[in-house]
Amino acid sequence: MIGSEYKNILFDFLTQSRFKVWRHLVFVSALIPIALSQAFFVLGSAEGITVRTIYLYGLGVAAAMVVFSYFNIFFLTPRLLIKGRYVDYVLLFFLSVYGFVTMKYFVESHIMGVERAVTGIALLDWLSNSSLYGICIASSSVTLLFREWIKDSRQIDSLENSQLKNDIEEFKNRINPQLLYSTLSSASVKAKSSPQQTSEILFKFSELLRYQLYDCARERVLLESEIKFIENNLTLRQENSLFRFGYSISAEGDTSLFVAPAVFMPLIDIVLNQKPSHLSIAFKVDARLRLVCMASGTNLRDCNLLKIKQRLQLLNREFELVKTDESITLVLC
């Protein structure tokens, strides 16, 4: 819990605009000791240079680092890096860093009097200093890149949620044309030979249509209405399906609680797509609502339940979803 609080504080500090001034102060404060340590390392052993001069030089280096850092923040990163112009960014960034380090070496050699011989070690020192200052200056764009990543992630999540909501509404309002055609064709064929059976089929079909047209428009429906919708749907599919399957539905506990409309049928559709020989659906209501779908003659482990999980997350429901070879269990907490 404490770790989570610290994580949230750090996240807010890096992303929230109210901490903008503090972020800049922390960054600038981090550059000053780096510049001072470099100044003392280079000039500390030089003759004729006072401590006050070393401090002033170190602060001057820190100021130059700040200028280059904000050049990176306000020009290079938004105009090149974020827009995907990576080659241009890398070239200009390293030209800036190498120019800064070369200028620093020039001041130290020609103004401060630091003697440097042109050797391989001097070149290695120049490269190591360039790497150090490059890392310091590049770190200035981390917060900006982090905010852009969060912004892009939120846009992607928003688009995914919008698409998922559209899929959900489409399912809730969709009247399966194949089921409609098959039901009406079957009813017309059996109208003379089995009028009672035809009447029952049409009655169940009218109940299914009424549920999809009216009940699915609500935010919540009774669980018993949802179960009835599933039963009518399976009866009509059993009657008109190209593959033969049996099914059974049972409910244990209080079925007068409210659930989201058509929340279980997508899961049952996934199971039916595996063409089981028999489908057993069991609802159990106690402290939680449990749905167990057992399918005979098929393997359910390969079923893709990603959209089911996304929909339940979109409904802000805590849930458990467990697959075995012959069953899928959904628990709504």
Side-chain angles (χ1 to χ4, degrees), residues 66-292:
V66 170
V67 170
F68 278 105
S69 297
Y70 283 100
F71 173 70
N72 178 52
I73 292 173
F74 294 111
F75 181 80
L76 294 180
T77 300
R79 292 172 180 261
L80 300 177
L81 184 59
I82 291 178
K83 292 185 178 180
R85 297 171 59 185
Y86 303 118
V87 175
D88 294 342
Y89 174 81
V90 170
L91 288 175
L92 284 176
F93 178 80
F94 280 105
L95 282 175
S96 300
V97 171
Y98 293 148
F100 166 71
V101 175
T102 301
M103 182 178 64
K104 176 177 176 292
Y105 271 41
F106 179 84
V107 172
E108 291 170 354
S109 300
H110 294 82
I111 298 178
M112 296 296 180
V114 177
E115 295 183 1
R116 281 195 176 94
V118 181
T119 63
I121 295 177
L123 178 61
L124 184 62
D125 181 67
W126 181 82
L127 289 173
S128 65
N129 272 272
S130 298
S131 300
L132 172 65
Y133 290 114
I135 292 171
C136 293
I137 294 170
S139 66
S140 63
S141 60
V142 169
T143 302
L144 183 60
L145 291 173
F146 186 60
R147 290 204 304 271
E148 285 295 318
W149 175 76
I150 291 174
K151 179 181 175 182
D152 292 343
S153 297
R154 286 176 176 172
Q155 287 179 342
I156 291 171
D157 289 342
S158 177
L159 290 173
E160 288 179 348
N161 287 339
S162 297
Q163 180 62 44
L164 187 57
K165 285 180 180 178
N166 291 336
D167 291 343
I168 292 170
E169 292 303 318
E170 180 184 358
F171 175 83
K172 287 165 57 177
N173 299 321
R174 181 183 66 201
I175 299 173
N176 191 321
Q178 182 62 40
L179 184 61
L180 173 63
Y181 173 78
S182 299
T183 301
L184 295 179
S185 296
S186 176
S188 64
V189 170
K190 296 178 180 179
K192 293 183 179 180
S193 59
S194 305
Q196 182 63 31
Q197 186 180 5
T198 302
S199 177
E200 291 176 359
I201 290 173
L202 293 177
F203 179 74
K204 289 183 179 295
F205 190 63
S206 68
E207 284 189 326
L208 186 144
L209 292 179
R210 184 168 61 250
Y211 183 88
Q212 287 198 263
L213 292 174
Y214 299 107
D215 288 0
C216 281
R218 303 171 183 170
E219 291 187 4
R220 293 287 185 271
V221 296
L222 288 171
L223 175 59
E224 58 188 26
S225 299
E226 179 76 4
I227 294 173
K228 188 64 177 177
F229 166 69
I230 294 171
E231 184 180 359
N232 289 335
N233 204 310
L234 291 177
T235 298
L236 294 174
R237 292 192 186 200
Q238 186 185 47
E239 184 72 25
N240 305 306
S241 178
L242 295 177
F243 73 96
R244 309 310 301 171
F245 70 95
Y247 78 89
S248 62
I249 299 180
S250 63
E252 179 182 342
D254 183 14
T255 59
S256 61
L257 76 160
F258 286 90
V259 296
V263 68
F264 301 113
M265 200 61 216
L267 177 59
I268 296 171
D269 278 340
I270 290 174
V271 177
L272 281 177
N273 288 337
Q274 304 302 311
K275 295 181 171 53
S277 58
H278 188 273
L279 175 62
S280 174
I281 300 172
F283 289 91
K284 183 178 180 180
V285 183
D286 40 37
R288 302 184 296 179
L289 171 56
R290 185 187 307 269
L291 166 64
V292 180

